[in-house]
Amino acid sequence: MLTTTDPRTIFGLPPPSSPRLALRSSAPAGRPGSGRGSTLLDGGWWPRSADPVAELPGLLLALQAHGPPDDHRPISHVMLREADWDGHPRRLLVNGPDDTREVRLSWFDHLPAGLLTAIYADGRRIDLLTVPAATGHAAAQAALEAAADPADHLPAPDLLAALTVPADPWDGPAAGRPHTPRSQDARLREPSRSR
């Protein structure tokens, strides 16, 4: 990893091979930013680590490439929750196939847990659930599917909370699948202390 003399700017490494990403089919056509209190998710992402320099370039390139074939506008700004990541650079250079772009990163302590918002140069936005890197495979896959399901309207914090709830064999969900309040016999459970 190379850094400039400005500690707020970090030059990214080449992007990882492919991000673990699940998007709703209409996600990149995204809606313009709105003042809603509850953020509707456009999909989910499961990074391999909590290092934004290693993880974000591949995600941003994948989001840019997923749009309509005639519209590959770059992402210019990403908003993230401070507590979800190990480092907090202010700018990131993303080495794309056609060019290198600088993306502004903004860090907030008041964003909902697990929420990442990417803003395209034309103002469109995409909101993603960010599944913690240490999450088990089955639970992470279930969370990604739920975040990308058009019928699922749970916000990021509720999907993350479901990751810590052990599967109850009496409820019927597959082992490792997050329990969501949509089941008819939803009941309060204590989060698991171990991972």
Side-chain angles (χ1 to χ4, degrees):
M1 169 178 32
L2 301 172
T3 59
T4 65
T5 55
D6 178 359
R8 297 174 299 155
T9 302
I10 294 183
F11 288 80
L13 299 171
S17 56
S18 63
R20 299 178 290 191
L21 180 66
L23 295 172
R24 294 180 187 200
S25 58
S26 63
R31 68 226 172 264
S34 66
R36 286 187 303 241
S38 175
T39 302
L40 178 65
L41 294 171
D42 297 302
W45 173 48
W46 184 25
R48 290 170 176 81
S49 73
D51 178 0
V53 175
E55 301 299 334
L56 288 173
L59 172 68
L60 299 179
L61 291 172
L63 290 175
Q64 182 177 325
H66 194 273
D70 61 342
D71 182 20
H72 290 289
R73 295 192 182 140
I75 291 172
S76 60
H77 186 197
V78 179
M79 296 185 296
L80 308 111
R81 183 171 178 256
E82 284 183 6
D84 293 345
W85 297 92
D86 290 341
H88 305 106
R90 294 290 185 194
R91 299 198 180 279
L92 181 71
L93 285 184
V94 178
N95 301 319
D98 300 324
D99 63 357
T100 298
R101 296 205 176 257
E102 187 173 284
V103 177
R104 191 174 102 203
L105 306 178
S106 296
W107 303 93
F108 301 94
D109 58 1
H110 66 277
L111 280 179
L115 180 65
L116 176 148
T117 299
I119 302 172
Y120 290 82
D122 65 359
R124 291 174 300 143
R125 67 185 262 176
I126 187 166
D127 296 300
L128 297 176
L129 166 71
T130 303
V131 178
T135 304
H137 183 75
Q141 287 298 332
L144 291 176
E145 289 172 17
D149 183 353
D152 198 323
H153 299 289
L154 291 175
D158 290 353
L159 285 171
L160 286 182
L163 290 174
T164 62
V165 177
D168 184 342
W170 300 106
D171 280 349
R177 182 181 172 118
H179 176 75
T180 61
R182 287 185 289 161
S183 72
Q184 291 190 356
D185 72 330
R187 54 187 168 264
L188 294 176
R189 298 183 184 154
E190 294 209 49
S192 171
R193 299 272 181 210
S194 62
R195 287 209 168 219

